[in-house]
Amino acid sequence: MTATSSAPLLPAPCRSRTWRWLRGIVIATIALLLAAFALDRLFPLHLPAPDTGSTVVLARDGTPLRAFADSDGVWRYPTTAKQVSPLYLQALLNYEDRWFYRHPGVNPYALLRGLGGGLRHGRIVSGGSTLSMQVARIIQPIPHTFRGKLVQILRALQLEAHLSKAQILDLYLNHAPFGGPIEGVEAASWAYLGKPAARLSHAEAALLAVLPQSPSRLRPDRHAQAARAARDKVLGRMRDLGVWSVAEVHGAAIEPVAARSLRAPLSAALLAERLHREQPAARRITSTIDANLQRAAEERVGAYLSRLPAHTSAALLVVDNATLEARVYVGTSEYADPQRHGYVDMVRAPRSPGSTLKPFLYGLALDDGLIHSQSLLVDAPQDFGGYKPGNFDEAFSGPVSAAEALQRSLNVPAVDVLDRVGPGRFVARLANGGIDLGLPDGATPNLSIILGGASTRLENLVGAYTAFANGGIAGTPRYTTEQPARPRRLLSPGAAWIIRDVLAHNPADVEGAPLAGAINRHERVAWKTGTSYGYRDAWSLGVTDRWTVGVWIGRPDGTPSPGQYGAVTALPLLFQIVDMLPQRDASAPARPASVTSGAICWPLGGTLAATDPALCRQHRTAWVLDGALPPTFAERGLDAWSAGLLTLRVNDQGQRLSGACHARRERTIRLARWPALATPWLGVDDRARSALPPLAPGCAADALNRASPIRISGLIDGVTLRRAPNSDKPLRVTLRALGAQAGVQWLLNGRLQGSSEADAAIAITLPQAGDYRITAVARDGAFATLTLRVVGPPA
């Protein structure tokens, strides 16, 4: 057997050289790695912080409403590769860096090509930059020199070592320059094209892909031809590479380059400012605003306010009843306009609500069983412990229903109801429903609250008015989907339904309603207006099945705007806004089971079926809550007649027998009394049927005779007065209420003119020719009336 031996593959000298060569490579590699590590530590990357920079507030569909520039004045809308159009990514990667996902940050072939061009021309012609190298130059200014190119290469390698390809691409998408203060493809798409980068066409994608190469020279809003030539070059590349078909490129090439003037969005400006202030660290805030409705509403508000005085502003809030999300938010009529105080957000500003709280008062009274929709109230001069409210037009209407008092926004009936509900309790219920009323320091709730003697905000009112569409449950308007709605019970479902029905059927011919005929288009809108003292605030609130709309008009500095009030100034704008909102099919909201219809009688207030026909002077059909049919309010004060049913003894001549007074033939009668203060407005027959029979001779006076008769002295009933010739001064007459023992209110054609004590004189002005009716109403219910005519001077 022969032993064999194997010879080495390489001679010993070769093996030694190979080992030394490999060892040298390893050492060099380690040295390079150590050097790279040291350089990375000595010259770290300065990446943009993700939580700093500009902020954009978006509509619910992603449309930018307002952008807030960063400290350098740059507009940037945060985005990612997943949020932009795939067409843009195709154009960008195939035109700028086809091998982006394969190279380590540097493309050697592109670099050699750029170096060769540089040697031939003596300057850098084609840089051969990858997207990673471009990002390196974007985040750190690097000079366009050979030395700068080396730094750019090292920074690109450094980027690839620290970040993923997706992170590098996102840096480019957010920081690439697009001209002016615009950075990032999302901001550029909105600024130039008015659309999100997710919805770009082929032509638009090609344009935005090439624009960062020379953002100043290729700006489409200034250099459309140069931009089109560069875009077409990209389109040609996409066709040659087979990424886009010939037909797609041909269709894209015929699109014109039409860019908007470069401008940042400024819609719902004050809401955006508010949300940015609440979330200062957020870079992208999505609101609940509908961009299209917001733009349309801002245009309508601007056009409407152009007809009003220069210092007038407006606020508008539209809330979706189902979600309580705000779809329109106009805090000012003209943002940043100094004349209109355009920086003041009047959606949030505390202002006097005028009469806008009255629907909640009547709703609470319904829930308390104090009234139904047709309860008899009295609109006449009254004294509530020294507080003597008047109506907006200074006129009075006498007996009115609760529904009519609410529709016409009459003040005295509302104060009467509040006095019975209790101001403190009313304020507490409002607070529970989201309306926190601001009172002067040290003040407690009082009767003036129902006429605007406190402050609240438009957004609080709108949130509370949603209760009329949501079964009595109010909520807080939401401006982002993360905000809670905070639903709270304000009224019962039945009370909310009744009040909404009353407000939705406001007739066009009553005080405070729009022009006759105009209301017919809005029959499903439940609306209420309000005007604060001194014409400082004009309000209108409207509720439909889908929307609750609130409008405020006035001067933010609180100065009066004479002649501008809710029905004239704010209500027409509310109807314009309602007209532009998408609506559901018009249908009456379902009536709750707790609400029934009932026939009632005035003046007692009982049901028609249970009332003697002789005592039923007027029939009314009322909405009744939980079957409660409360009688007409009893009158205040010991010196006033008591309203209600009286049972009297009379003799055979119909004369009243009092106390121990008797007659040979007696009988008992029942008398339905109207409230004493309503008597001046009653017809002759109603007065006669309600009048007390006179006392029988010899019978002592009883408590029913407290109201002493009065008469007016100074003029004869039915007199005609003529103005003096050559005088432009109105006539003035001096009158007295003879027999009056207390305060007397004087009315001219139903409008309060002043008051006098007992039989003191009062002067009343008769402003022009015409027929007049003067009424004196004593505090105890006694009254007297006379009529007269004023004619012009002789010809």
Side-chain angles (χ1 to χ4, degrees):
M1 183 174 182
T2 305
T4 61
S5 62
S6 58
L9 296 176
L10 292 173
C14 292
R15 291 200 304 273
S16 177
R17 285 195 300 273
T18 301
W19 172 248
R20 287 196 301 270
W21 181 70
L22 290 173
R23 185 177 60 183
I25 291 175
V26 172
I27 292 173
T29 301
I30 293 174
L32 285 173
L33 290 174
L34 290 174
F37 180 78
L39 289 172
D40 185 61
R41 289 304 182 94
L42 289 172
F43 305 99
L45 282 170
H46 297 286
L47 297 174
D51 58 346
T52 61
S54 59
T55 296
V56 60
V57 179
L58 308 170
R60 62 199 297 255
D61 64 352
T63 302
L65 297 175
R66 183 179 179 185
F68 296 87
D70 63 12
S71 57
D72 297 324
V74 172
W75 306 95
R76 187 185 305 113
Y77 305 168
T79 191
T80 65
K82 294 180 180 180
Q83 294 172 318
V84 302
S85 168
L87 296 177
Y88 172 75
L89 295 178
Q90 290 173 356
L92 174 67
L93 294 176
N94 283 281
Y95 188 75
E96 291 288 350
D97 192 353
R98 291 177 61 198
W99 311 105
F100 173 69
Y101 287 105
R102 300 180 185 179
H103 61 62
V106 177
N107 187 334
Y109 172 76
L111 278 179
L112 290 174
R113 184 185 60 199
L115 179 61
L119 292 175
R120 285 195 303 272
H121 295 88
R123 58 185 175 86
I124 296 177
V125 177
S126 174
S129 296
T130 62
L131 280 182
S132 302
M133 293 171 66
Q134 293 182 47
V135 170
R137 192 184 295 279
I138 288 171
I139 64 176
Q140 177 185 345
I142 299 174
H144 288 271
T145 62
F146 285 106
R147 181 176 178 276
K149 180 62 69 174
L150 177 61
V151 173
Q152 186 181 10
I153 291 171
L154 293 175
R155 287 298 192 188
L157 295 172
Q158 197 176 12
L159 277 170
E160 295 277 351
H162 283 275
L163 304 177
S164 67
K165 290 290 186 180
Q167 291 173 313
I168 294 172
L169 181 58
D170 285 348
L171 280 174
Y172 181 88
L173 296 179
N174 284 284
H175 295 274
F178 281 86
I182 303 300
E183 285 189 4
V185 65
E186 186 72 15
S189 183
W190 282 107
Y192 291 119
L193 306 173
K195 63 194 303 187
R199 299 207 302 262
L200 298 176
S201 67
H202 290 79
E204 292 163 342
L207 174 65
L208 295 185
V210 75
L211 185 53
Q213 283 194 350
S214 183
S216 297
R217 184 179 62 85
L218 299 179
R219 274 182 57 166
D221 61 326
R222 295 182 178 177
H223 310 291
Q225 292 302 319
R228 179 165 189 161
R231 180 205 67 180
D232 291 348
K233 184 177 179 181
V234 177
L235 291 174
R237 176 76 63 84
M238 300 300 287
R239 179 197 58 215
D240 295 342
L241 293 175
V243 180
W244 293 347
S245 68
V246 174
E248 288 171 334
V249 170
H250 177 73
I254 63 177
E255 285 188 26
V257 172
R260 309 187 310 171
S261 296
L262 192 60
R263 64 183 184 274
L266 196 63
S267 188
L270 289 174
L271 173 62
E273 188 175 297
R274 174 179 179 176
L275 295 178
H276 180 42
R277 188 164 50 247
E278 293 172 354
Q279 305 177 53
R283 303 279 71 86
R284 191 181 183 99
I285 303 172
T286 302
S287 72
T288 61
I289 296 300
D290 184 298
N292 293 328
L293 290 179
Q294 178 72 27
R295 281 193 296 268
E298 288 179 350
E299 291 175 0
R300 295 209 180 193
V301 170
Y304 189 82
L305 264 289
S306 65
R307 298 175 291 176
L308 296 179
H311 297 281
T312 307
S313 185
L316 168 68
L317 185 62
V318 178
V319 168
D320 187 317
N321 294 328
T323 63
L324 293 179
E325 293 179 353
R327 296 290 182 247
V328 175
Y329 186 115
V330 180
T332 179
S333 59
E334 191 67 39
Y335 180 71
D337 182 349
Q339 280 194 312
R340 300 187 188 274
H341 301 274
Y343 292 105
V344 181
D345 187 352
M346 298 309 299
V347 170
R348 306 180 68 192
R351 307 291 290 204
S352 167
S355 297
T356 58
L357 301 180
K358 289 176 181 174
F360 306 112
L361 171 63
Y362 286 97
L364 180 56
L366 281 164
D367 277 332
D368 286 350
L370 293 176
I371 62 170
H372 49 68
S373 68
Q374 293 297 317
S375 287
L376 171 59
L377 303 176
V378 180
D379 181 37
Q382 296 192 50
D383 187 336
F384 299 89
Y387 181 50
K388 302 176 181 179
N391 287 320
F392 179 77
D393 60 357
E394 300 181 347
F396 295 92
S397 302
V400 295
S401 68
E404 184 182 359
L406 176 56
Q407 290 170 339
R408 298 176 59 184
S409 201
L410 301 176
N411 289 341
V412 176
V415 173
D416 187 9
V417 173
L418 179 60
D419 189 41
R420 299 171 195 272
V421 168
R425 182 164 171 270
F426 178 58
V427 170
R429 285 292 295 270
L430 288 180
N432 183 66
I435 301 180
D436 292 314
L437 294 180
L439 298 173
D441 292 341
T444 57
N446 55 60
L447 296 179
S448 70
I449 285 172
I450 199 58
L451 306 186
S455 66
T456 189
R457 295 172 171 83
L458 176 61
E459 62 184 354
N460 297 140
L461 284 174
V462 170
Y465 267 74
T466 61
F468 298 120
N470 291 331
I473 297 177
T476 302
R478 304 166 65 202
Y479 306 120
T480 66
T481 55
E482 293 79 21
Q483 288 180 323
R486 298 189 182 93
R488 288 166 287 198
R489 172 67 65 185
L490 183 56
L491 298 170
S492 70
W497 186 92
I498 291 173
I499 296 300
R500 178 177 173 183
D501 184 76
V502 168
L503 295 178
H505 291 86
N506 200 343
D509 58 348
V510 302
E511 189 71 30
L515 296 176
I519 193 67
N520 296 333
R521 296 180 296 116
H522 312 285
E523 58 182 355
R524 298 316 315 160
V525 183
W527 56 270
K528 182 72 184 75
T529 60
T531 307
S532 67
Y533 177 76
Y535 299 97
R536 288 173 169 81
D537 307 274
W539 301 87
S540 62
L541 282 296
V543 179
T544 69
D545 285 345
R546 185 172 180 182
W547 308 105
T548 297
V549 182
V551 173
W552 171 90
I553 295 178
R555 291 184 55 160
D557 60 5
T559 54
S561 300
Q564 305 297 329
Y565 55 94
V568 165
T569 307
L571 188 61
L573 178 58
L574 179 132
F575 284 142
Q576 287 188 24
I577 298 302
V578 169
D579 280 344
M580 65 169 245
L581 295 173
Q583 299 289 346
R584 297 192 181 101
D585 293 337
S587 59
R591 189 175 77 193
S594 59
V595 177
T596 56
S597 176
I600 59 97
C601 286
W602 278 9
L604 298 179
T607 64
L608 177 63
T611 303
D612 184 340
L615 304 177
C616 188
R617 300 301 302 156
Q618 289 188 28
H619 299 173
R620 298 274 176 142
T621 301
W623 290 123
V624 178
L625 181 61
D626 296 324
L629 279 166
T632 300
F633 287 154
E635 291 192 88
R636 291 176 177 78
L638 298 177
D639 59 348
W641 292 339
S642 295
L645 181 64
L646 293 180
T647 301
L648 304 173
R649 290 183 301 113
V650 297
N651 59 23
D652 56 357
Q653 297 178 348
Q655 296 170 323
R656 189 169 86 253
L657 302 173
S658 62
C661 190
H662 295 278
R664 181 175 302 175
R665 295 178 182 175
E666 296 183 7
R667 59 189 174 90
T668 300
I669 65 170
R670 293 193 302 168
L671 197 66
R673 301 302 305 276
W674 291 82
L677 292 176
T679 310
W681 286 269
L682 298 178
V684 174
D685 187 48
D686 278 333
R687 289 187 198 175
R689 298 288 291 271
S690 182
L692 282 170
L695 275 171
C699 290
D702 56 18
L704 297 177
N705 278 335
R706 286 198 184 104
S708 302
I710 63 174
R711 65 183 182 86
I712 299 174
S713 71
L715 286 177
I716 300 174
D717 187 30
V719 69
T720 298
L721 304 178
R722 188 182 300 276
R723 288 175 52 185
N726 303 321
S727 174
D728 57 357
K729 295 182 179 180
L731 283 175
R732 288 171 63 85
V733 294
T734 300
L735 304 174
R736 296 174 185 271
L738 300 182
Q741 303 299 316
V744 177
Q745 303 275 5
W746 293 84
L747 294 85
L748 181 66
N749 289 349
R751 294 179 182 271
L752 183 64
Q753 302 299 301
S755 60
S756 62
E757 285 299 320
D759 60 354
I762 186 172
I764 295 179
T765 300
L766 307 174
Q768 59 191 16
D771 294 328
Y772 291 95
R773 179 185 180 91
I774 297 176
T775 305
V777 183
R779 188 181 302 165
D780 61 5
F783 75 96
T785 300
L786 63 81
T787 60
L788 59 94
R789 172 171 294 180
V790 175
V791 297

